[in-house]
Amino acid sequence: VAAGMDRVAAAVAASGGGARVAAVVSVGDNFYGNGLANCDDPAFNHSFSAVYDGASLRGLAWDVLLGNHDYRGDISAQLDDCAHEWDGRWRASGRALGGRAVYASPDGSVEVHVVFVDTNPLISEYAFCPGRHVYDFDHPEVGGPMFGAPAYAAEYAAFRR
């Protein structure tokens, strides 16, 4: 468990206790420091399922975006079905670059429309930082870095080899 994560989980659980919470939105950096290694990485349980397990959180959906730390690992482990199979609350599939969601109050009288935007593939430093980190922008939902799209395609492909 990352430093302070247990305190964050306790605060989230406490805030959800009396409120009518439709879902939790995680805006990235779900797994510090280098994301998940693969679909069998125990970090998923240690940093999510076993931590965010308060009674008020157990039935809530978690709509998830990726952060730069997540892209340092195998993003398939978060975006593909294996994460949802580990914990049915996890919803990241189809949100590699963002998306939208509509959350409604229990009686339907209030709707909140949320737009998610993942800017990580727009940051050229994340694709071209040899010796520091490698970011997994090659997942089919991402399709490579987005900055200067065709202009950088050959350079990015050469760097990834």
Side-chain angles (χ1 to χ4, degrees):
V1 177
M5 196 176 235
D6 52 345
R7 291 191 313 256
V8 171
V12 171
S15 69
R20 293 184 196 163
V21 179
V24 175
V25 177
S26 176
V27 293
D29 289 351
N30 306 305
F31 301 97
Y32 281 103
N34 293 315
L36 296 175
N38 54 47
C39 280
D40 297 319
D41 193 331
F44 186 88
N45 185 55
H46 297 191
S47 296
F48 178 69
S49 295
V51 177
Y52 295 99
D53 64 346
S56 64
L57 303 177
R58 288 192 190 119
L60 291 178
W62 287 66
D63 288 329
V64 180
L65 285 177
L66 302 179
N68 65 314
H69 288 269
D70 301 308
Y71 278 103
R72 293 179 190 172
D74 177 3
I75 64 169
S76 293
Q78 292 186 56
L79 294 177
D80 296 345
D81 291 337
C82 62
H84 184 72
E85 290 170 11
W86 288 328
D87 191 315
R89 299 175 297 165
W90 189 267
R91 300 191 314 193
S93 181
R95 287 215 172 91
L97 299 174
R100 74 183 267 294
V102 178
Y103 305 107
S105 62
D107 66 1
S109 64
V110 176
E111 284 188 348
V112 176
H113 294 251
V114 178
V115 176
F116 306 99
V117 179
D118 181 354
T119 60
N120 286 286
L122 300 172
I123 302 171
S124 62
E125 177 185 331
Y126 289 164
F128 303 106
C129 50
R132 288 181 51 204
H133 302 289
V134 175
Y135 294 84
D136 182 11
F137 291 132
D138 292 330
H139 188 278
E141 284 192 33
V142 178
M146 300 299 152
F147 50 87
Y152 284 108
E155 185 179 351
Y156 178 72
F159 171 75
R160 293 294 290 178
R161 282 188 219 133

